[in-house]
Amino acid sequence: MIVPFTPQVDGAYRFSVAPMLDCTDRHFRVLMRQISRRALLYTEMLVAQALHHSNRLDHLLDFDIIEHPLSLQVGGDDPKMLAEAARLADAWGYDEINLNVGCPSSRAKAGNFGACLMAKPDQVARCVEAMAMASPLPVTVKHRLGIDDFDSDALLMTFVDRVSLAGATRFTVHARKAWLEGLDPKQNRTIPPLQHQRVTHLKQQRPQLTIEINGGLEHPADCLTALQTCDGAMVGRAAYAHPLRWKSMDELVYGEEPRSINASQVIGGLLPHAETHLSRGGRLWDLCRHLLQLVEGVPGAKSWRRDLGIKAQKADADLTVLQKAAQQLEDAGL
């Protein structure tokens, strides 16, 4: 269903959790919202063409109101379809819409979206302009430093300048180039070297623009260091693999009062969402697959993960599986 909501994204990007395929679905976002009330969360990338042709928009776009602030990330190169996506994002109550210009997959390249568009700043600008005119939502862009041999500070600056004039309000820069030939998406997350200094240089050269840095931020201290030179810090795989590592970010970044957050409390906060999901015919495993990294580095963690995985994957798994898992953690002081 459509959720009316007043955008609350201002400043949320100071700490954000990156859009990740097969990771940042609505269940993981509700999990992360237990850990940070203020972080900007993202959907998985949705291709604008798929939105245009779908007769199941509720399946693609629906979310829990507690997920705010929330950004809808889309991929595409057709201004009309991206404008339609922006209107949908507004109608469904998202806080902003983000254009993916960083995905290095062969599928994205074949569809002429994602990182390959780094070489086409005019096309990206037309897309951003159409999106900005179609809805009142902020239009932001996530991109790489460059691609293949199309990679220099001058080319990066040209891209950012052109797209900012078209109406982009924030640039999230993955501090690596992408190799579209020879590397798969997983390799593109690790093999091209991190170049944080180039993102810092971009911010120094364009101080009037809002620049967020992504890539290689593994701990809260990394984010605090990044925030000394950039406007925002985005974490990706480290948030998915170690969710509780980020429990102090509201205090450190947004100045919130410290609060106690542990694994059993996180699961307890998920119970209403899980109950709703099950009542709609969903499976418990849809949620629990994201919980396996919630407990780590303590005695019994491996056994707890194995037990939850076995029980939650059963077709008839119900809410009691999650309740008992939470109780086990509470009894262990976790």
Side-chain angles (χ1 to χ4, degrees), residues 136-150:
L137 295 182
V139 179
T140 65
V141 178
K142 186 174 187 294
H143 59 95
R144 293 275 184 144
L145 292 171
I147 54 171
D148 299 328
D149 294 324
F150 190 88

Side-chain angles (χ1 to χ4, degrees), residues 113-143:
F113 63 90
C116 66
L117 289 177
M118 285 290 298
K120 302 176 181 179
D122 287 340
Q123 180 67 18
V124 176
R126 285 191 288 272
C127 292
V128 167
E129 184 176 32
M131 295 163 74
M133 293 181 65
S135 92
L137 295 182
V139 179
T140 65
V141 178
K142 186 174 187 294
H143 59 95

Side-chain angles (χ1 to χ4, degrees), residues 143 156-165 171 202 209 211:
H143 59 95
L156 176 62
M157 210 78 69
T158 296
F159 176 86
V160 168
D161 285 345
R162 181 70 184 89
V163 177
S164 66
L165 289 174
F171 294 86
L202 174 64
L209 299 181
I211 305 295

Side-chain angles (χ1 to χ4, degrees), residues 124-244:
V124 176
R126 285 191 288 272
C127 292
V128 167
E129 184 176 32
M131 295 163 74
M133 293 181 65
S135 92
L137 295 182
V139 179
T140 65
V141 178
K142 186 174 187 294
H143 59 95
R144 293 275 184 144
L145 292 171
I147 54 171
D148 299 328
D149 294 324
F150 190 88
D151 178 37
S152 70
D153 285 345
L155 290 170
L156 176 62
M157 210 78 69
T158 296
F159 176 86
V160 168
D161 285 345
R162 181 70 184 89
V163 177
S164 66
L165 289 174
T169 62
R170 186 175 72 254
F171 294 86
T172 300
V173 189
H174 187 158
R176 288 184 173 93
K177 68 180 296 181
W179 283 106
L180 303 185
E181 300 291 342
L183 296 182
D184 62 28
K186 183 177 180 180
Q187 292 170 322
N188 263 301
R189 292 197 297 268
T190 56
I191 291 178
L194 282 166
Q195 300 181 73
H196 285 180
Q197 73 280 3
R198 290 183 61 190
V199 185
T200 299
H201 178 70
L202 174 64
K203 177 60 184 178
Q204 291 170 341
Q205 295 299 306
R206 297 295 184 269
Q208 76 279 13
L209 299 181
T210 302
I211 305 295
E212 180 182 28
I213 190 169
N214 169 232
L217 305 180
E218 299 291 331
H219 296 272
D222 299 330
C223 293
L224 297 182
T225 298
L227 288 171
Q228 294 177 16
T229 53
C230 293
D231 300 297
M234 173 184 279
V235 298
R237 303 288 157 176
Y240 192 81
H242 313 283
L244 278 175

